[in-house]
Amino acid sequence: MIFLYFLCGLYFLGMLFILIYSLAQGHLLFHFLKARKEWGQIPHENPISWPKVTVQLPIFNELYVVERLIDAVAKLNYPNDLLQIQLLDDSTDQTVGLIESKLKEYPEINFQYIHRDDRIGFKAGALREGLEKASGEFIAIFDADFVPDPDFLLKTIPYFSSEKIGMVQTRWTHLNRDYSLLTRLQAFALDAHFFIEQMGRNHQGAFINFNGTGGIWRKSCIYDAGNWHDDTLTEDLDLSYRAQRKGWEFVYRPEIESPAELPPIMSAIKSQQFRWTKGGAECALKHAGAVNQENHPFRVKFHSFAHLFNSVIFIAVFVTSLSSIGVWWAGEKGLIPEVLIRISGIFLIGFVLIAGVYLVSYFYGKRSFLNSALGVIWQLPLFLSVSMGLALHNAQAVWEGLSGKKSPFIRTPKFNLESGREKLSSNRYLLHRMPVTTWFEGVLGLVFWGMVWLAFREENFLFLPFHTMLAFGYSLVFITSFKSYGLGR
């Protein structure tokens, strides 16, 4: 009986966390709706004299996208005498030769090639070393899978109208949104972040984050905040909080787009998700306590905690999903009052709010109600199912981050599939060693399909929608993972 109460306690705690998280999301949605009218407003006047800018391109073994990246930045509309482009290359393969050969095509552009023989500090270390040699007053950063807008600098520099503004972040768009089911679902999630979360936080003066790429910094802000640190896997989030805690202001402009490639296979998605969720947990340990002690309005502290600890949602979903099996069984056997189970239905408001956030971002991004309505009918439930199916994988990452376990920076493989030059299976950067957690995902898929069967057999449908989504989500994550780890073998 004690174990039963323990399971019920876990279930209610998990659902309570999800509800609180959803309330934070709902508040961001409210501020997004207020901020959306600012879209497309003409920024402050262009500067009287344009400043020097350094564009940093951190690169590590990027055979498939580095040439596309160089071609794109070579087209940046900015005075050549005011522009420096740094290629911060840690590559250990033929990428080095590709870069050297490609740069010869642009002798008139101020490219600075910096190759490191080690990866000390990984991306943060490369950015830090490049900063020492940067001549620009402002530092724009693009990852290798981005294709910068030629007018990026002309659009972003005017927003540094005040000396207090330290960073301007733009909105990611997706080069390969329609490539596959997985890319569509990723775009679905990222659009909610870049529409609802970033706009909602920025509108109310809460902390936002530089997204690691597609943004531009004032160099003095980076130095004042302590430069790039490599003690977390999300150096971008870490520096963002250090800078804003020192009083620097950030600007988010959703109408300025930065196109990028989405990982098309599950193994690459998991690699990226692991780094983001674990790094977020590491930054939570590093900054949450300090933010709480500092003199910030309650709304700023509330959204800071929701922001820093948002990856804990995966632990909550994982714990809630497992404990729901025990709660279902206890309800079926009459071991807990039925009224208690019905009262717990109030927690479902959390899922409704979360779904609402994604619905609004999807409709707003599409700008066409008919097309949006047809697409969201299947994309929203499928997205929520896959998100639940990633709970085990991401919960492990969050737990490692919160417990202080360190791990190296693992890059996300890039593909450049739009060029048609490379087949998916020929990518040499694919991971082929399947982690043991993938097998557990398959087992969990079977377990929840079993719960679906029991629901119909016993005619107890209390958790049927939840368990069906878990069954489908874990199954899809397992199958796509199994296929992706086997590519190219």
Side-chain angles (χ1 to χ4, degrees), residues 43-293:
H44 297 282
E45 294 182 0
N46 290 340
I48 297 174
S49 60
W50 291 92
K52 288 187 177 181
V53 176
T54 296
V55 178
Q56 292 187 321
L57 310 174
I59 296 165
F60 176 66
N61 293 351
E62 303 289 3
L63 279 176
Y64 307 108
V65 295
V66 70
E67 292 177 299
R68 181 183 67 183
L69 174 66
I70 293 173
D71 286 335
V73 296
K75 297 175 183 176
L76 287 172
N77 294 327
Y78 209 73
N80 282 347
D81 59 327
L82 299 177
L83 181 62
Q84 175 193 44
I85 302 174
Q86 291 183 334
L87 289 105
L88 309 177
D89 184 27
D90 288 354
S91 297
T92 57
D93 64 2
Q94 296 95 320
T95 303
V96 176
L98 277 181
I99 294 174
E100 292 175 341
S101 176
K102 193 67 178 176
L103 293 184
K104 293 178 182 177
E105 299 180 16
Y106 300 101
E108 74 284 1
I109 297 178
N110 181 19
F111 278 108
Q112 183 182 33
Y113 181 52
I114 302 174
H115 184 265
R116 300 197 305 169
D117 293 326
D118 55 59
R119 292 189 72 200
I120 295 176
F122 304 106
K123 180 181 177 180
L127 293 171
R128 190 167 56 234
E129 184 169 326
L131 197 64
E132 296 174 0
K133 303 173 183 178
S135 60
E137 178 184 351
F138 296 93
I139 311 294
I141 300 172
F142 292 100
D143 283 348
D145 51 343
F146 274 68
V147 182
D149 178 355
D151 292 330
F152 177 87
L153 299 177
L154 299 180
K155 292 177 179 178
T156 55
I157 290 293
Y159 283 102
F160 289 95
S161 55
S162 167
E163 292 295 325
K164 295 180 180 180
I165 296 174
M167 192 277 297
V168 175
Q169 175 66 50
T170 65
R171 179 169 60 92
W172 295 4
T173 55
H174 318 294
L175 294 169
N176 59 335
R177 173 192 291 269
D178 297 323
Y179 177 80
S180 68
L181 172 64
L182 293 180
T183 56
R184 287 189 178 94
L185 296 181
Q186 289 174 85
F188 196 86
L190 287 170
D191 286 349
H193 169 70
F194 282 99
F195 282 123
I196 311 299
E197 294 180 345
Q198 288 287 60
M199 287 182 68
R201 293 188 186 112
N202 201 216
H203 181 262
Q204 60 183 306
F207 288 2
I208 67 169
N209 61 293
F210 168 59
N211 291 105
T213 174
I216 180 168
W217 288 80
R218 190 186 297 273
K219 183 164 67 173
S220 59
C221 172
I222 298 176
Y223 277 126
D224 183 58
N227 212 327
W228 298 99
H229 291 183
D230 54 36
D231 57 346
T232 73
L233 292 179
T234 47
E235 71 293 321
D236 45 8
L237 179 61
D238 173 42
L239 181 59
S240 297
Y241 266 76
R242 284 188 280 117
Q244 289 169 105
R245 286 174 53 201
K246 294 206 71 172
W248 289 93
E249 297 176 3
F250 285 6
V251 173
Y252 175 65
R253 299 312 307 178
E255 76 277 7
I256 305 176
E257 300 180 355
S258 291
E261 178 185 88
L262 294 164
I265 58 174
M266 185 56 75
S267 60
I269 294 170
K270 282 185 169 180
S271 175
Q272 187 179 71
Q273 287 280 310
F274 193 92
R275 188 173 69 250
W276 287 353
T277 52
K278 181 174 181 177
E282 291 173 331
C283 285
L285 290 183
K286 187 173 181 178
H287 295 288
V291 170
N292 184 53
Q293 295 174 7

Side-chain angles (χ1 to χ4, degrees), residues 305-325:
F305 273 68
H307 187 192
L308 290 169
F309 286 101
N310 63 1
S311 58
V312 178
I313 191 72
F314 291 105
I315 293 180
V317 169
F318 181 66
V319 169
T320 301
S321 62
L322 290 182
S323 58
S324 70
I325 297 174

